[in-house]
Amino acid sequence: MQVILRQLGDCNIRRTEPSDLIPVMEINLKTLPEHYSDYFYESLLAELPEAFIVAEIGGKHVGYIMCKTEYGFSNFKKLGFVKKGHVVSIAVLDDYRKKGIGKALVEESINGVKLRKCDEFYLEVRCSNNDAVRLYEKLGFVIRQQLNAYYRDGEDAYLMAIELD
Ligand code: ACO
Ligand code: ZN
């Protein structure tokens, strides 16, 4: 059964199902240089379906966000060991950007990791990716670290994180 989380005009924001994974992989291939194995997508969906979300317009997949949970040192508290949500990847097809779909995907994934009682939510983003950094900042993420040569091409990442309540 489809779980529709919200509608933005004609765009459905909903939980991902196994049959959505091929379209999600196609969006990833078109939009980002970081790709993953089929097994990795399947395992993220099995592990954290609450925060694996797709955006679909009239049967066409236009965006996704996928996440995982981890235990580790807090990005905020000294010496704190916490449960963290981690945005592995988010993308919206070029023609469908700047309509609020990215924001809705991140907001719904925040709700998803809260359901799983995460204390914090974090991600890495290319320092040059102004559109994404601005989106995360608007939603309350703050830059906590700069990770030197994080990407294969040598670019640095910002580690951005938000505390959840
Ligand atoms: N009319 C006009 N502008 C609007 C509207 C609207 N109806 N709705 C939202 N906007 C504006 C927002 O205010 C925002 O403006 P700003 O950039 O000036 O702050 C801008 O549109 C973007 O916000 P959204 O529409 O919510 O986001 P979008 O759907 O465009 O997706 C994303 C953002 C996912 C970063 C997209 O640019 C993308 O897919 N980029 C390529 C892939 C990528 O870089 N992914 C992130 C990598 S990092 C990681 O995965 C952890
Ligand atoms: Zn990451």
Side-chain angles (χ1 to χ4, degrees):
M1 195 192 61
Q2 285 196 351
V3 181
I4 296 182
L5 300 164
R6 69 164 96 167
Q7 288 173 306
L8 283 177
D10 52 3
C11 179
N12 284 336
I13 305 293
R14 61 168 177 80
R15 292 247 187 109
T16 298
E17 299 180 348
S19 60
D20 297 313
L21 289 179
I22 299 229
V24 165
M25 291 180 222
E26 286 169 356
I27 296 172
N28 169 267
L29 287 170
K30 282 183 193 153
T31 53
L32 283 166
E34 289 78 38
H35 309 307
Y36 313 95
S37 67
D38 299 10
Y39 172 76
F40 187 62
Y41 288 88
E42 286 164 12
S43 63
L44 293 180
L45 180 56
E47 188 206 322
L48 190 55
E50 296 88 344
F52 197 145
I53 297 163
V54 290
E56 181 193 49
I57 300 178
K60 180 182 167 71
H61 292 75
V62 300
Y64 71 89
I65 188 167
M66 58 186 193
C67 308
K68 59 183 174 158
T69 58
E70 298 164 2
Y71 290 89
F73 290 108
S74 170
N75 288 302
F76 295 95
K77 297 180 186 70
K78 265 192 190 158
L79 304 175
F81 200 70
V82 294
K83 184 172 183 183
K84 300 193 269 193
H86 178 174
V87 181
V88 174
S89 181
I90 170 174
V92 174
L93 288 179
D94 216 353
D95 291 348
Y96 298 89
R97 291 181 193 161
K98 303 213 179 291
K99 298 173 189 296
I101 295 174
K103 177 168 178 273
L105 290 170
V106 178
E107 286 175 344
E108 293 299 339
S109 70
I110 290 173
N111 291 338
V113 295
K114 281 184 178 173
L115 288 174
R116 297 290 288 266
K117 303 268 187 283
C118 289
D119 305 297
E120 301 177 5
F121 201 18
Y122 83 99
L123 55 85
E124 300 91 5
V125 57
R126 285 178 186 270
C127 294
S128 64
N129 193 345
N130 298 320
D131 288 346
V133 170
R134 231 180 8 252
L135 170 67
Y136 304 139
E137 280 179 336
K138 275 193 193 172
L139 293 171
F141 287 79
V142 289
I143 296 172
R144 298 297 295 170
Q145 279 183 60
Q146 184 159 338
L147 307 173
N148 185 35
Y150 178 79
Y151 296 98
R152 289 169 77 118
D153 60 11
E155 185 170 353
D156 290 1
Y158 289 131
L159 187 154
M160 299 185 71
I162 183 172
E163 284 186 286
L164 306 174
D165 38 45

